[in-house]
Amino acid sequence: VTRNEKSLKKIPGVQDASVNFALGSALVTYDEHLVTEQILHQAVVENGYAVGAPIRKGHEHMDDSATAA
């Protein structure tokens, strides 16, 4: 969980990231002009997790299903 949060927060344009392993989700606040969902997904995949389809909650938020690969 901490590893995914740190990886996401290091991406330029990400303001905040919160990962909930129990729910298999991540809430990421980011600037859509600086970062894409694909970049966010890649950061999680590089940590060994699979990423499901995003559920949008506004222009600045994204929930992703994250489960161990």
Side-chain angles (χ1 to χ4, degrees):
V1 172
T2 302
R3 181 173 43 169
N4 279 329
E5 288 177 355
K6 286 181 181 180
S7 294
L8 291 166
K9 288 178 182 180
K10 286 182 181 179
I11 298 170
V14 172
Q15 287 90 34
D16 194 31
S18 177
V19 176
N20 185 319
F21 186 74
L23 295 177
S25 67
L27 177 63
V28 182
T29 305
Y30 63 98
D31 183 334
E32 293 177 339
H33 296 107
L34 299 176
V35 64
T36 65
E37 290 178 9
Q38 183 178 357
I39 292 170
L40 300 173
H41 290 188
Q42 187 61 34
V44 173
V45 169
E46 288 177 2
N47 285 327
Y49 292 88
V51 177
I55 302 170
R56 291 196 161 266
K57 288 195 170 191
H59 299 289
E60 299 175 338
H61 296 89
M62 177 184 83
D63 282 342
D64 276 331
S65 176
T67 56

